[in-house]
């Protein structure tokens, strides 16, 4: 692995693209200081250029290179949650190219908690701009095979770190409005995308309130950092209740559709309906959600009925991704 990591750092230095594991999902990385390299990410993902990227760092001591006007709250959260599944939105420093931020004056920063990712970032030494390593709007990859299947040889190197432990993307918290919080005490950190680091965990670390953006409460509302048509398999995703899912499955089967059910409790479904088990608590559900979406596509389902977990802890992130998949 040490050799592969060194090779990855070389590819990054040369302006190439490296897919790498993180604890959340696999990322598609390029040298964040090299605008030309960053533009390749957008080309491979077919991602609109206004959609900003997260810059991955090897440690919190690099914060000051990439952000300015860093509020104390950001230092406190970095201390507590980095390396980990938390992305902070801060005012960007002059070194961040427009290509990374889509021209915005803020930048998303995170230190991932994955040994292969950390080794690569340390060997490279700079910041690595990386979105999830999937085509725009599609399911995030949680294994190296997922990346190879989707992006193939459009990536210069795929680092294999095994399956991702968390399984859904990092929590994104916007702290950029706090820089002037002495003048504007009403400013609170805002979660733009829920993840494994929950609002309660952030509030506990900060000793103050954290708000959820409208897009988290109502995922049909558009907000920076979110899109309503994300994370979707080819199968149509429908959100169901535990009590209504069997009847709905029967109706769809009667219409001649190929139907699957993803439900946390074991349900007796009609024999022609494929049952996917999200296996256990909401953390287990998060870990396997995108795998189950891919399985639904690999067997050619028309509709996937999904019974979401309780919206607590990482369950809120799972509910959010399921709602977005349902569009
Ligand atoms: O877990 C993760 O965050 C993974 C791994 C690879 O680190 N990355 C990831 O990247 O999910 P991506 O590009 O698929 O999603 C990043 C989200 C996008 O919705 C983007 O709009 C938002 O972060 N974002 C990035 N910079 C931002 C900024 N300056 N302001 C608001 N949102 C931002
Ligand atoms: Mg993504």
């Amino acid at each position: 692995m040490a050799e592969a990591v060194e090779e990855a750092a070389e590819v990054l230095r040369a302006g190439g693209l490296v897919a790498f594991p993180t604890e959340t999902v696999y990322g598609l990385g390029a040298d964040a200081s090299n605008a030309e390299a960053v533009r390749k990410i957008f080309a491979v993902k077919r991602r609109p250029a206004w959609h900003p990227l997260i810059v991955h760092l090897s440690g919190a001591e690099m914060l000051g290179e990439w952000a300015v006007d860093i509020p104390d709250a950001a230092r406190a959260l970095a201390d507590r949650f980095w390396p980990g599944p938390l992305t902070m939105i801060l005012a960007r420093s002059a070194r961040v190219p427009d290509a990374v931020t889509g021209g915005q004056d803020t930048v998303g920063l995170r230190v991932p908690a994955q040994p292969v990712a950390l080794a690569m970032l340390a060997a490279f030494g700079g910041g690595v701009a990386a979105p999830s390593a999937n085509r725009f709007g599609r399911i995030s990859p949680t294994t190296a095979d997922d990346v190879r299947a989707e992006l193939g040889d459009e990536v210069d190197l795929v680092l294999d770190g095994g399956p991702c432990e968390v399984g859904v993307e990092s929590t994104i918290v916007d702290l950029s409005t706090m820089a002037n919080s002495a003048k504007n005490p009403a400013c609170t950190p805002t979660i733009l995308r829920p993840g494994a680091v929950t609002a309660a965990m952030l509030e506990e670390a900060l000793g103050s309130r954290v708000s959820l953006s409208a897009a988290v409460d109502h995922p049909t509302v558009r907000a920076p950092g979110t899109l309503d048509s994300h994370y979707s398999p080819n199968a149509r995703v429908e959100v169901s209740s535990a009590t209504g899912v069997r009847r709905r499955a029967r109706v769809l089967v009667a219409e001649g559709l190929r139907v699957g059910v993803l439900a946390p409790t074991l349900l007796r479904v009609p024999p022609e309906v494929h049952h996917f088990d999200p296996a256990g608590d909401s953390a287990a559900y998060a870990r396997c959600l995108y795998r189950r979406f891919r399985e639904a596509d690999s067997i050619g389902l028309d509709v996937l009925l999904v019974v979401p977990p309780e919206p607590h802890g990482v369950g809120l992130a799972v509910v959010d991704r399921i709602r977005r998949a349902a569009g």
Side-chain angles (χ1 to χ4, degrees):
M1 189 46 83
E3 236 171 78
V5 161
E6 205 35 68
E7 195 188 338
E10 271 311 311
V11 171
L12 292 170
R13 273 179 220 119
L17 297 185
V18 175
F20 64 99
T22 81
E23 77 280 36
T24 59
V25 300
Y26 274 69
L28 178 63
D31 179 353
S33 305
N34 179 339
E36 204 49 54
V38 169
R39 274 191 281 272
K40 288 185 196 166
I41 294 177
F42 288 88
V44 168
K45 278 198 64 120
R46 327 256 193 272
R47 172 160 162 149
W50 49 264
H51 206 69
L53 304 178
I54 295 169
V55 176
H56 297 69
L57 309 173
S58 62
E61 68 284 353
M62 292 171 77
L63 253 180
E65 289 174 42
W66 295 87
V68 293
D69 296 336
I70 300 167
D72 293 342
R75 306 253 180 223
L77 294 183
D79 267 358
R80 181 70 163 266
F81 297 109
W82 282 358
L86 178 70
T87 296
M88 294 196 274
I89 307 296
L90 295 165
R92 69 161 166 174
S93 76
R95 72 172 295 172
V96 185
D98 279 340
V100 169
T101 68
Q104 301 191 61
D105 52 11
T106 56
V107 63
L109 299 172
R110 132 169 155 89
V111 178
Q114 211 287 352
V116 176
L118 285 173
M120 179 193 80
L121 290 164
F124 174 60
V128 172
S132 50
N134 51 283
R135 305 259 191 231
F136 188 62
R138 301 273 308 153
I139 308 161
S140 297
T142 53
T143 66
D145 280 343
D146 294 343
V147 179
R148 290 188 199 105
E150 184 143 335
L151 302 181
D153 53 14
E154 290 185 69
V155 184
D156 297 302
L157 183 74
V158 180
L159 276 179
D160 191 342
C164 300
E165 240 167 62
V166 175
V168 292
E169 302 79 359
S170 61
T171 304
I172 302 181
V173 63
D174 187 355
L175 299 166
S176 65
T177 56
M178 292 188 84
N180 300 317
S181 56
K183 282 179 240 156
N184 185 1
C187 285
T188 53
T190 304
I191 295 181
L192 301 180
R193 180 175 74 181
V197 175
T198 63
M201 290 160 75
L202 295 172
E203 287 179 343
E204 205 258 325
L206 294 173
S208 64
R209 219 177 69 76
V210 169
S211 59
L212 291 180
S213 82
V216 175
D217 284 331
H218 307 281
T220 48
V221 177
R222 266 171 203 261
T226 63
L227 274 181
D228 45 16
S229 64
H230 249 71
Y231 318 106
S232 39
N234 294 323
R236 182 172 92 224
V237 172
E238 277 186 27
V239 180
S240 266
S241 68
T243 50
V245 70
R246 283 162 64 189
R247 185 185 313 151
R248 182 68 185 145
R250 263 188 241 109
V251 168
L252 293 169
V253 167
E255 287 174 13
L257 295 169
R258 303 193 49 171
V259 181
V261 167
L262 175 61
T265 46
L266 203 61
L267 295 167
R268 253 181 299 132
V269 291
E272 54 276 77
V273 172
H274 193 100
H275 181 248
F276 296 95
D277 190 356
D281 60 7
S282 55
Y285 203 140
R287 207 175 297 125
C288 76
L289 178 69
Y290 294 148
R291 167 96 3 252
R292 299 291 177 260
F293 279 0
R294 282 173 194 276
E295 285 165 5
D297 279 352
S298 72
I299 61 172
L301 292 184
D302 299 306
V303 185
L304 182 64
L305 300 175
V306 183
V307 179
E310 292 297 315
H312 310 307
V314 73
L316 180 64
V318 177
V319 170
D320 171 75
R321 304 311 189 272
I322 291 169
R323 286 198 200 142
R324 284 179 207 286

